């Protein structure tokens, strides 16, 4: 078995290891662990409208976008009609 010096060394390691880890990872955080341009700038982030006019303008913009996407989808469907499926393959009318 170990002597008194071993127990003192182990106690010192038990106490100093967490303190050393916290010191290493707790200092110079901005220089070592920062990712440049991680957070968006305020002008790049979404802005919540608060005024009545801003809310109305945002609703108009969303409505126009929805209608544009709808028209585009309808044009795509008109150009490429879905393939017809026969009812025999579906198994609905195939009862004996």
């Amino acid at each position: 078995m170990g002597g008194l010096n071993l127990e003192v060394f182990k106690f010192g390691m038990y106490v100093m290891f967490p303190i050393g880890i916290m010191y290493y990872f707790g200092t110079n955080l901005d220089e070592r662990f920062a990712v440049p341009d991680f957070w968006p700038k305020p002008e790049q982030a979404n802005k919540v409208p608060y005024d009545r006019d801003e809310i109305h303008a945002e609703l108009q913009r969303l409505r126009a976008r929805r209608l544009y996407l709808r028209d585009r989808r309808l044009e795509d469907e008109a150009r490429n009609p879905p393939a017809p499926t026969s009812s025999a393959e579906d198994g609905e009318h195939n009862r004996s």
Side-chain angles (χ1 to χ4, degrees):
M1 300 268 104
L4 182 62
N5 288 339
L6 178 63
E7 294 300 322
V8 170
F9 174 75
K10 285 193 323 187
F11 178 75
M13 287 300 293
Y14 294 151
V15 171
M16 293 306 291
F17 185 75
I19 293 172
I21 294 295
M22 286 188 286
Y23 179 77
Y24 176 76
F25 287 105
T27 56
N28 293 332
L29 290 176
D30 291 335
E31 294 175 9
R32 289 193 297 191
F33 301 110
V35 178
D37 297 329
F38 180 74
W39 298 107
K41 305 284 188 268
E43 58 270 4
Q44 295 172 338
N46 292 332
K47 181 178 170 258
V48 177
Y50 291 109
D51 295 337
R52 181 180 175 96
D53 296 334
E54 290 177 353
I55 292 172
H56 185 67
E58 184 68 17
L59 285 173
Q60 290 294 100
R61 186 188 68 82
L62 290 173
R63 187 176 295 120
R65 180 174 184 263
R66 180 178 50 85
L67 291 175
Y68 169 74
L69 292 175
R70 178 180 174 265
D71 291 340
R72 216 170 87 189
R73 179 179 47 88
L74 290 175
E75 288 174 5
D76 288 344
E77 288 177 359
R79 270 188 255 129
N80 302 324
T85 59
S86 66
S87 61
E89 291 177 4
D90 294 339
E92 294 176 5
H93 302 289
N94 202 3
R95 296 183 191 170
S96 297

